[in-house]
């Protein structure tokens, strides 16, 4: 099976014929939310509509079956079918990576991850806190990861996600070095929120095809300047088009890029509201996709009038960019 991830270096750079400058192709990946019916079932027709909304906004890829998808509150079949639906909807027009990696037991992880692979997604994302679950040290984490990847198809590019739930397991230099040594990893969803640490990681992975996608809007501009591949985070559920625009402006117009990045940084503080309920409100109310605000990880009642006001204000200001 052919995998569509941008793995080859010649695909990741754009050479300006006039200037001779080689520019990195930067990318925006929204983290897929899961829409539900009023009865609390996954609304797969709405999944398709949201995936096409990301596509119409110009996003390069989608991270399906991730924490924004509420994977720890979905059944295994639901996690698999969401990834499958997203990939079938956008086809080869976008890169789709997916996780669904929630189980504690090794055999359960092997099964759930192989089922995600069978959906045809372009990359499989492993959650860092699922190896060495007791968080005893780098050696045990590497041992667990080594055992796990031996059970996964060799043709599937792998990635890592520093998921905050149930706890955040940040990648160390030793962990990244091991991943580099395997030659199988292509994607880091970085959640360290630390400009200096991101620079260190970029230096360690420089020259490889192990790309860093920053999930944090506040450090995004600096990380892109330092060589990050792109953005993969929750705020692309509010204004995916602006993240796409930022990626395109980084080499073309630094002043405009920084202005948009400044807005995105401030706007991202709304992440502290009742997400993902707020994202579902925005998609229904401001993006015009008919979905409910039902979630399994939070109560709908957490979406207050104050939250709606903040999201609406953010949307009006975003349109000015």
């Amino acid at each position: 099976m052919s995998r569509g991830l941008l793995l080859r270096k010649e695909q990741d750079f754009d050479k300006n014929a006039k200037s001779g400058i080689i520019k990195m192709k930067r990318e925006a990946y929204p983290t897929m939310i899961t829409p539900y019916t009023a009865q609390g079932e996954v609304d797969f027709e709405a999944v398709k509509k949201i995936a096409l909304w990301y596509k119409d906004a110009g996003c390069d890829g989608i991270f399906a079956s991730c924490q924004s998808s509420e994977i720890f509150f979905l059944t295994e079949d639901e996690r698999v079918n969401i990834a499958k639906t997203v990939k079938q909807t956008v086809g080869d027009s976008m890169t789709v990576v997916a996780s669904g990696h929630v189980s504690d037991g090794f055999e359960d992880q092997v099964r759930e991850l192989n089922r995600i692979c069978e959906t045809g997604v372009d990359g499989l994302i492993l959650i860092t806190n699922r190896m060495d679950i007791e968080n005893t040290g780098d050696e045990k984490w590497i041992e667990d990861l080594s055992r796990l990847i031996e059970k996964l198809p060799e043709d599937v590019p792998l990635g890592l996600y520093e998921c905050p739930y149930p706890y955040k397991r940040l990648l160390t230099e030793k962990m990244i070095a091991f991943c580099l040594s395997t030659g199988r990893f292509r994607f880091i969803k970085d959640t360290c929120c630390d400009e200096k640490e991101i620079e260190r990681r970029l230096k360690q992975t420089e020259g490889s095809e192990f790309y860093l996608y920053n999930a944090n809007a506040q450090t995004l501009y600096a990380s892109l300047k330092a060589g990050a591949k792109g953005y993969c985070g929750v705020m692309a559920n509010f204004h995916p088009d602006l993240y796409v625009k930022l990626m395109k402006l980084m080499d073309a117009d630094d002043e405009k890029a920084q202005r948009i990045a400044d807005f995105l940084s401030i706007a991202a503080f709304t992440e502290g509201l009742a997400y993902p309920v707020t994202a579902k409100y925005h998609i229904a109310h401001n993006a015009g996709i008919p979905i409910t605000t039902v979630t399994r990880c939070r109560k709908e009642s957490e979406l207050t009038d104050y939250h709606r006001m903040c999201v609406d204000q953010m949307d009006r200001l975003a349109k000015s960019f």
Side-chain angles (χ1 to χ4, degrees), residues 48-66:
K48 297 175 186 177
K49 291 176 182 177
I50 294 171
L52 292 174
W53 177 59
Y54 298 146
K55 177 183 175 181
D56 291 344
C59 295
D60 303 277
I62 301 171
F63 186 2
S65 294
C66 57

Side-chain angles (χ1 to χ4, degrees), residues 24-29 160 162 171 176 185-206 208-216 219-220 222-224 226-232 247:
M24 181 183 226
K25 185 182 186 301
R26 297 181 176 90
E27 300 175 325
Y29 279 61
L160 293 169
E162 297 172 322
L171 293 166
I176 292 173
F185 286 84
R186 301 290 183 267
F187 194 106
I188 301 174
K189 187 179 190 301
D190 185 297
T191 68
C192 74
C193 308
D194 184 324
E195 185 178 333
K196 298 291 186 185
E197 174 61 14
I198 290 172
E199 289 178 359
R200 189 204 64 74
R201 294 176 176 191
L202 289 169
K203 186 174 182 180
Q204 184 179 5
T205 57
E206 187 176 8
S208 76
E209 296 176 326
F210 195 15
Y211 298 124
L212 186 147
Y213 292 77
N214 193 348
N216 176 246
T219 56
L220 179 59
S223 69
L224 293 171
K229 184 74 168 125
Y231 176 74
C232 180
M247 301 304 132

Side-chain angles (χ1 to χ4, degrees), residues 64-105:
S65 294
C66 57
Q67 189 185 17
S68 284
S69 314
E70 304 175 65
I71 52 174
F72 289 92
F73 300 85
L74 299 173
T75 67
E76 185 174 308
D77 284 345
E78 288 172 332
R79 300 193 300 272
V80 169
N81 287 328
I82 286 170
K84 183 177 181 179
T85 299
V86 172
K87 183 57 186 173
Q88 289 181 341
T89 300
V90 302
D92 293 332
S93 64
M94 299 175 76
T95 299
V96 178
V97 299
S99 182
H101 185 199
V102 304
S103 297
D104 291 345

Side-chain angles (χ1 to χ4, degrees), residues 245-315:
K245 189 170 185 177
L246 174 61
M247 301 304 132
K248 292 179 178 178
L249 284 173
M250 284 302 300
D251 291 313
D253 191 326
D254 187 67
E255 183 178 350
K256 287 183 179 179
Q258 189 162 26
R259 185 163 178 260
I260 290 175
D262 288 345
F263 164 73
L264 294 175
S265 174
I266 300 304
F269 284 108
T270 60
E271 187 178 339
L273 303 180
Y275 181 85
V277 189
T278 48
K280 295 180 179 188
Y281 166 76
H282 168 77
I283 290 172
H285 186 256
N286 295 321
I289 299 173
I291 63 172
T292 71
T293 54
V294 173
T295 74
R296 294 180 185 175
C297 63
R298 304 190 79 146
K299 296 178 181 178
E300 279 188 280
S301 59
E302 292 184 62
L303 180 70
T304 64
D305 288 341
Y306 172 78
H307 289 182
R308 294 184 184 90
M309 178 189 71
C310 291
V311 171
D312 291 343
Q313 289 174 340
M314 179 178 65
D315 184 64

Side-chain angles (χ1 to χ4, degrees), residues 122-142:
D122 303 298
L124 179 68
I125 310 300
L126 310 181
I127 292 179
T128 54
N129 63 43
R130 297 295 83 200
M131 283 75 71
D132 181 28
I133 290 175
E134 299 301 322
N135 197 8
T136 63
D138 290 358
E139 290 75 14
K140 184 63 167 64
W141 187 91
I142 290 170

